[in-house]
Amino acid sequence: MNRISWDQYFMAQSQLLALRSTCTRLAVGATIVRDKRIIAGGYNGSIAGGEHCIDEGCYVIDNHCVRTIHAEMNAILQCAKFGVPTSDAEIYVTHFPCLQCCKAIIQAGIKKVYYAEDYKNHPYGIELFLKAGVEFMKVDREEMTLDFNQTEKRAFIDDMLSLLEKKEDKNDEIQKLREEADKLFS
């Protein structure tokens, strides 16, 4: 069994957090890490107890939803709320941070930003990162899913292909299907 890299592991955590997002425009997750340990996580959503975009719609001003707090900011604020230092930490974000989040990341003392997708990468945010010595890099995402029924699905596919082999005289085509199934389940 191959283990995923640390970058993929922490990015997967951010992708999982993004599933909690309440914004209908873009789901974002962020994970703050120090010494290979998760110290905080956040997703974009409304203030605690506030109305959510999924319920009330986005509150858009100047083409920006002002109802939500960004994932990076939520993660940084979680550290502040519980007294967890962010200096020299790293942050994993599903999308490149907006300009305001770039500034917050710098002020929080976070030294590395890993992101999975480019998203309106602001030139001034990039300039600020460079001036502040904040490294930023794109992490290749591998498609990952948690499938608790994989064994049963594989058995089902194998049974179907076996039945086809008995009934059909197109074993070349069935062999191709079996090879495709092998690729999907490997």
Side-chain angles (χ1 to χ4, degrees), residues 95-180:
H95 297 76
F96 191 87
C98 74
L99 178 57
Q100 297 305 320
C101 287
C102 288
K103 292 190 281 186
I105 287 166
I106 292 166
Q107 287 300 97
I110 294 170
K111 295 299 180 195
K112 291 184 181 177
V113 176
Y114 299 91
Y115 65 98
E117 293 185 38
D118 291 302
Y119 183 73
K120 301 179 182 180
N121 303 21
H122 200 286
Y124 188 54
I126 292 169
E127 181 183 332
L128 290 174
F129 277 165
L130 294 172
K131 284 182 180 178
V134 174
E135 295 179 47
F136 56 96
M137 58 221 65
K138 191 171 186 177
V139 174
D140 289 329
R141 289 196 305 184
E142 287 188 13
E143 243 354 92
M144 293 180 356
T145 58
L146 293 176
D147 187 351
F148 298 107
N149 298 316
Q150 184 171 359
T151 304
E152 292 83 1
K153 288 177 183 177
R154 178 62 200 229
F156 176 73
I157 296 291
D158 286 341
D159 290 347
M160 281 190 357
L161 290 171
S162 294
L163 284 172
L164 281 172
E165 285 173 346
K166 292 175 186 171
K167 294 193 176 265
E168 295 289 329
D169 191 26
K170 298 180 182 179
N171 285 335
D172 289 342
E173 291 176 31
I174 294 169
Q175 182 58 34
K176 287 179 187 175
L177 290 174
R178 189 172 291 286
E179 288 170 8
E180 287 297 315

Side-chain angles (χ1 to χ4, degrees), residues 1 37 68 70 87 98 119 129:
M1 178 171 118
R37 300 289 178 256
T68 59
H70 291 187
S87 58
C98 74
Y119 183 73
F129 277 165

Side-chain angles (χ1 to χ4, degrees), residues 25-94:
R25 295 171 56 133
L26 183 68
V28 179
T31 304
I32 301 178
V33 174
R34 189 183 322 95
D35 299 324
K36 302 282 186 250
R37 300 289 178 256
I38 296 170
I39 60 173
Y43 53 88
N44 57 330
S46 301
I47 60 168
E51 294 145 344
H52 297 284
C53 297
I54 56 175
D55 299 325
E56 303 291 327
C58 289
Y59 182 9
V60 178
I61 297 175
D62 295 330
N63 201 30
H64 192 79
C65 181
V66 297
R67 187 184 308 278
T68 59
I69 301 169
H70 291 187
E72 304 92 323
M73 193 65 73
N74 264 329
I76 291 168
L77 291 171
Q78 185 181 68
C79 286
K81 184 176 183 177
F82 295 107
V84 177
T86 54
S87 58
D88 299 322
E90 303 171 342
I91 190 167
Y92 289 79
V93 190
T94 55

